Amino acid sequence: MNEKELEILEILEGNARTPLATIADMMEMEKQEVEKIVKSLEERDIILNYQAVINWDHVPSNDGVTAMIDVKVAPKREIGFDGVAERIYRFPEVKAVYLMSGAYDLSVQIEGKTMKEVAFFVSKKLSTLDSVLSTTTHFLLKKYKHDGVIFEPEQKDKRAVVSP
């Protein structure tokens, strides 16, 4: 990984819609060279996807719920944590799965239409998996910042001013 690749990744991570011509200007490169680097990053599975950060609270009739579930597991000899995580991330409700240090082994983020739907997922699908020993479910109440984006407009302009 070279410095140009790292810089392009940082620019795209900040705003995936940055035109390649703009990136080329920012980095004092030819657009074709930036295109070649981005294509290489995609082919090497470094860039996996381009996504928008959406404030679903501002979308009318969106009553969905998000839950973070701490999962304690007993990994099996040949599949370990990776095999358990794979079984979990294949459920369509699951949006993210992370291997964690601490009291729980996996952190699972899911989305459902209602709390009841999330509870059904936990009790009927997740907790019934062989390797799952216990779960603790936390419901997301409000999102303040996600992927570096502040969600409350009034908070965006209230930056701490430090006087010399």
Side-chain angles (χ1 to χ4, degrees):
M1 179 77 39
N2 63 45
E3 290 298 318
K4 287 180 182 180
E5 290 173 324
L6 287 172
E7 190 171 348
I8 290 170
L9 288 172
E10 288 173 2
I11 292 167
L12 290 174
E13 184 178 44
N15 182 357
R17 292 187 62 179
T18 305
L20 297 183
T22 302
I23 295 172
D25 289 344
M26 292 167 67
M27 297 181 61
E28 298 177 355
M29 296 171 59
E30 293 296 319
K31 181 182 173 198
Q32 292 76 15
E33 186 180 358
V34 172
E35 288 172 346
K36 183 179 173 186
I37 291 171
V38 169
K39 185 173 188 218
S40 168
L41 292 167
E42 291 169 344
E43 289 170 350
R44 291 165 29 212
D45 287 336
I46 295 170
I47 296 177
L48 298 175
N49 198 351
Y50 298 90
Q51 295 183 328
V53 177
I54 299 168
N55 187 345
W56 288 105
D57 289 342
H58 292 178
V59 177
S61 74
N62 178 55
D63 296 326
V65 295
T66 301
M68 297 298 293
I69 306 164
D70 298 328
V71 183
K72 184 170 267 204
V73 302
K76 295 201 170 154
R77 184 171 295 245
E78 295 187 19
I79 62 168
F81 289 112
D82 293 346
V84 177
E86 182 178 353
R87 288 189 68 194
I88 294 170
Y89 69 60
R90 293 201 180 278
F91 288 113
E93 299 92 338
V94 174
K95 300 302 173 199
V97 178
Y98 306 98
L99 179 62
M100 307 295 290
S101 64
Y104 289 89
D105 302 307
L106 298 173
S107 180
V108 179
Q109 180 182 345
I110 72 163
E111 293 179 359
K113 292 180 181 152
T114 63
M115 284 186 171
K116 191 173 189 173
E117 186 177 287
V118 171
F120 178 84
F121 171 81
V122 173
S123 64
K124 302 294 183 194
K125 293 182 179 180
L126 184 60
S127 65
T128 60
L129 294 175
D130 305 358
S131 299
V132 172
L133 300 175
S134 67
T135 64
T136 301
T137 303
H138 309 274
F139 286 96
L140 188 136
L141 302 177
K142 183 175 182 179
K143 195 179 289 189
Y144 294 98
K145 185 175 182 178
H146 181 78
D147 284 345
V149 178
I150 297 171
F151 277 65
E152 293 297 317
E154 61 274 7
Q155 297 297 321
K156 286 183 184 176
D157 299 323
K158 293 183 181 177
R159 297 189 178 104
V161 178
V162 179
S163 9

